């Protein structure tokens, strides 16, 4: 029995190979970007509050904010000072760290905000209790604020 063989001429890669190569280049980029975005949206503080510190930092609130636009770091500082009084300094420091991680442009104001939180914590909680909330957020600026207010 004799089989006839037909020779197939290769004119270039077929459409499946082109699609496969395109996916091999694009898919890792898409996965990395979507993973990065997913990680930034995770609530790492463990609190169940749905309001975001960044939302407050991005959009001014209140009636006087309509007449004069305030800087994002000023809005963030005011929100964190209010949170310190309503909850505790630990929550405020966690939200400060999240805000700085999410918006690196706030990092140059982190030290001054942490010091303000330290001074406010001494006024609200007293020096001993305020110092117990100290964390390495923005170096040791919170502890420095506690010390300057107490000393």
């Amino acid at each position: 029995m004799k089989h006839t063989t037909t020779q197939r001429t290769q004119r270039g890669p077929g459409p499946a190979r082109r699609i496969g190569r395109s996916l091999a280049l694009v898919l890792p980029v898409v996965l990395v970007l979507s993973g990065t975005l997913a990680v930034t949206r995770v609530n790492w503080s463990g609190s169940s509050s749905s309001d975001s510190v960044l939302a407050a930092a991005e959009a001014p609130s209140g009636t006087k904010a309509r007449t004069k636009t305030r800087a994002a770091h000023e809005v963030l500082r005011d929100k964190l000072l209010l949170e310190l009084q309503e909850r505790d300094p630990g929550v405020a420091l966690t939200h400060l760290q999240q805000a700085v991680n999410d918006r690196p442009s706030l990092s140059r104001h982190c030290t001054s905000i942490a010091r303000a939180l330290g001074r406010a914590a001494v006024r609200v909680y007293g020096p001993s209790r305020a110092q117990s909330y100290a964390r390495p957020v923005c170096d040791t600026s919170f502890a420095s604020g506690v010390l300057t207010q107490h000393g």
Side-chain angles (χ1 to χ4, degrees):
M1 200 176 255
K2 193 173 188 183
H3 293 283
T4 59
T5 57
T6 56
Q7 296 235 344
R8 190 174 149 218
T9 58
Q10 229 12 16
R11 292 186 186 135
R17 182 170 286 198
R18 282 193 305 263
I19 291 172
R21 284 184 181 170
S22 297
L23 282 176
L25 292 173
V26 174
L27 193 59
V29 174
V30 171
L31 290 174
V32 167
L33 287 176
S34 64
T36 302
L37 293 174
V39 167
T40 60
R41 298 301 304 165
V42 172
N43 181 5
W44 294 104
S45 69
S47 65
S48 62
S49 75
S50 61
D51 62 327
S52 172
V53 174
L54 284 181
E58 289 172 355
S61 61
T63 56
K64 66 180 178 177
R66 300 205 189 286
T67 59
K68 181 181 173 186
T69 303
R70 296 172 52 203
H73 70 276
E74 292 171 342
V75 174
L76 176 62
R77 182 194 61 228
D78 293 346
K79 177 168 176 47
L80 292 174
L81 287 170
L82 182 63
E83 192 169 51
L84 179 138
Q85 292 175 352
E86 291 176 351
R87 296 177 82 179
D88 66 66
V91 174
L93 286 171
T94 298
H95 288 158
L96 173 60
Q97 187 66 53
Q98 285 175 341
V100 170
N101 289 345
D102 292 343
R103 288 190 62 191
S105 63
L106 292 172
S107 64
R108 64 184 150 174
H109 304 287
C110 185
T111 302
S112 64
I113 294 171
R115 279 194 191 122
L117 289 172
R119 289 190 299 268
V122 170
R123 286 191 299 271
V124 174
Y125 297 99
S128 298
R129 188 165 174 213
Q131 187 62 37
S132 71
Y133 289 104
R135 298 187 184 164
V137 176
C138 309
D139 296 325
T140 56
S141 301
F142 178 83
S144 173
V146 169
L147 183 63
T148 58
Q149 183 68 21
H150 181 267

